[in-house]
Amino acid sequence: MDERTEYRFVLVGVGGQGTLLASNILAEVGLASGFDVKKSEVHGMSQRGGSVISHVRWDRERVHSPRVGRGEADILLAFERMEALRFAEFV
């Protein structure tokens, strides 16, 4: 990784694809790398193949909110093509 002070990730998929597991792992990697980390997830119908979205933010100083705004994501990680199109506005 470069010497940036902040990283903003948005992970999207459908229930059962491992989106939430991936966001948990990403949060753990950030913590192990010395970042302050916050994570938020929405998974209403995730157990039935519904849409899942997770926001993960890393910062060298302090993260006040896990939410990533539209046009603010550094990385959009999509586990399903249609979800990538649906949430493309985050990058």
Side-chain angles (χ1 to χ4, degrees):
M1 294 229 149
D2 57 26
E3 295 301 318
R4 295 179 55 187
T5 61
E6 181 182 25
Y7 294 91
R8 296 163 298 209
F9 306 90
V10 175
L11 294 83
V12 298
V14 295
Q17 290 184 313
T19 306
L20 299 180
L21 175 62
S23 66
N24 288 338
I25 293 169
L26 188 59
E28 291 293 328
V29 168
L31 288 171
S33 299
F35 288 91
D36 183 43
V37 176
K38 298 287 185 291
K39 179 174 74 77
S40 171
E41 55 199 41
V42 176
H43 51 89
M45 294 294 290
S46 62
Q47 295 156 346
R48 297 201 173 122
S51 184
V52 177
I53 181 169
S54 181
H55 298 242
V56 181
R57 291 181 77 156
W58 298 0
D59 198 306
R60 291 272 180 213
E61 298 298 318
R62 182 132 174 95
V63 176
H64 296 285
S65 170
R67 297 284 301 171
V68 177
R70 288 177 172 84
E72 295 181 350
D74 297 306
I75 296 174
L76 173 66
L77 179 59
F79 293 90
E80 205 279 325
R81 188 173 300 181
M82 290 304 294
E83 296 302 306
L85 293 171
R86 182 178 309 184
F87 293 103
E89 63 194 12
F90 280 95
V91 292

